[in-house]
Amino acid sequence: FNGEVYNHKEIRKHLETRGRKFTTNCDTEVVLNAIAEKGHEVVKEFDGQFSYVVRNNETETIYAARDPFGIRPLYFGRGEKGFVLASEISALLTNGVRGSDVRKLPQGCTLEYKPQGAVTINRFYDVREHIGNEEATPEKLYAYLQRAVEKRVPEEVDHAVILSGIDSSTVAYLAHQQGKKPKKSYTVATFLDSGDMRSARLLAKQLGVEGRVGLIGEAFVKTHLRDIIKSM
């Protein structure tokens, strides 16, 4: 399991009423128990960004899924060592899958793989079905942003934020406003006195957050670009 399910506490409470026992507070355990209790279709109840792979030991069937917007990656393919699924392409190549045989599970889709080799992919979420004609206003946008930040920023652990332009600064400000002050902020820039850098420094100071800066110059790109592309 890779990612986060934001509504895992609500799902957990429901599963507990059905007799499920939990030993941790993490969402990974909730995902596993939800699938065991309700089957593969329960993915429709998960609100979050995630990809996961589950194996049914009795039938040897493999189930996988990727979040509605494809925020978390998931690749699959057949190779010398059989059927392989992973979050990174390099894991498939290492396990004998040729580059030309690597496939990406589309966003909002589930995958089912049976021992005899059949792969079935089904869509459980289509963003086109959720686009309405509601009028956009600054007040509605602000309310949506508040809810989005509220459910994403964890309460039980320390967290940090990326600070650059207007969008990330808004997230940091709303988290602070909701009493979930970030522990640190990180900013990446190509030179020290960029506009993003100045804005990030100013906001970090106003929020009382420790700010850290990383510089990516021409030498860094020349050295690491090939590795970055390979990992993607």
Side-chain angles (χ1 to χ4, degrees):
F1 174 69
N2 173 23
E4 291 182 83
V5 172
Y6 308 128
N7 61 336
H8 69 97
K9 292 181 180 178
E10 291 84 351
I11 297 174
R12 177 195 181 111
K13 288 178 183 177
H14 176 67
L15 292 172
E16 286 175 333
T17 64
R18 298 170 70 108
R20 287 278 165 180
K21 305 293 183 183
F22 293 85
T23 59
T24 72
N25 294 318
C26 75
D27 54 353
T28 303
E29 190 180 12
V30 173
V31 169
L32 184 60
N33 276 274
I35 295 171
E37 180 71 30
K38 297 186 176 183
H40 199 38
E41 290 296 305
V42 76
V43 66
K44 296 176 182 177
E45 299 179 20
F46 297 156
D47 177 14
Q49 49 172 302
F50 55 82
S51 63
Y52 63 77
V53 178
V54 178
R55 183 178 187 268
N56 185 320
N57 289 334
E58 293 180 357
T59 65
E60 296 185 346
T61 303
I62 292 174
Y63 300 100
R66 191 172 175 214
D67 66 71
F69 298 101
I71 299 172
R72 300 289 174 154
L74 188 61
Y75 302 95
F76 66 94
R78 286 189 180 90
E80 299 168 1
K81 300 181 182 179
F83 188 67
V84 186
L85 300 101
S87 295
E88 296 186 6
I89 292 175
S90 57
L92 274 72
L93 302 179
T94 302
N95 284 279
V97 180
R98 294 186 303 175
S100 58
D101 293 330
V102 173
R103 298 290 178 266
K104 180 164 61 176
L105 183 65
Q107 71 271 22
C109 285
T110 60
L111 178 150
E112 182 178 323
Y113 173 79
K114 294 187 176 180
Q116 56 266 36
V119 177
T120 305
I121 295 176
N122 290 306
R123 181 168 295 283
F124 69 88
Y125 186 98
D126 190 336
V127 68
R128 291 172 294 187
E129 298 174 0
H130 298 266
I131 298 175
N133 56 359
E134 183 181 2
E135 182 184 358
T137 65
E139 292 77 19
K140 287 180 181 177
L141 177 59
Y142 189 70
Y144 282 132
L145 283 171
Q146 283 182 309
R147 289 207 297 271
V149 172
E150 184 177 15
K151 72 180 181 180
R152 283 168 173 79
V153 178
E155 296 177 349
E156 60 273 9
V157 295
D158 290 337
H159 61 278
V161 291
I162 303 294
L163 280 187
S164 56
I166 293 175
D167 49 356
S168 58
S169 297
T170 302
V171 170
Y173 167 76
L174 289 174
H176 184 273
Q177 188 185 53
Q178 294 171 9
K180 302 175 180 179
K181 178 182 174 180
K183 193 87 171 179
K184 296 176 182 176
S185 70
Y186 294 88
T187 302
V188 178
T190 52
F191 60 97
L192 277 174
D193 200 33
S194 67
D196 281 354
M197 189 71 73
R198 290 195 299 270
S199 298
R201 280 204 194 103
L202 179 61
L203 184 64
K205 184 177 181 180
Q206 289 178 340
L207 299 183
V209 176
E210 179 187 343
R212 296 195 174 186
V213 173
L215 290 175
I216 294 182
E218 187 176 336
F220 179 92
V221 174
K222 284 183 176 179
T223 303
H224 298 289
L225 184 59
R226 188 176 295 276
D227 291 334
I228 291 171
I229 292 174
K230 183 179 179 180
S231 71
M232 300 294 284

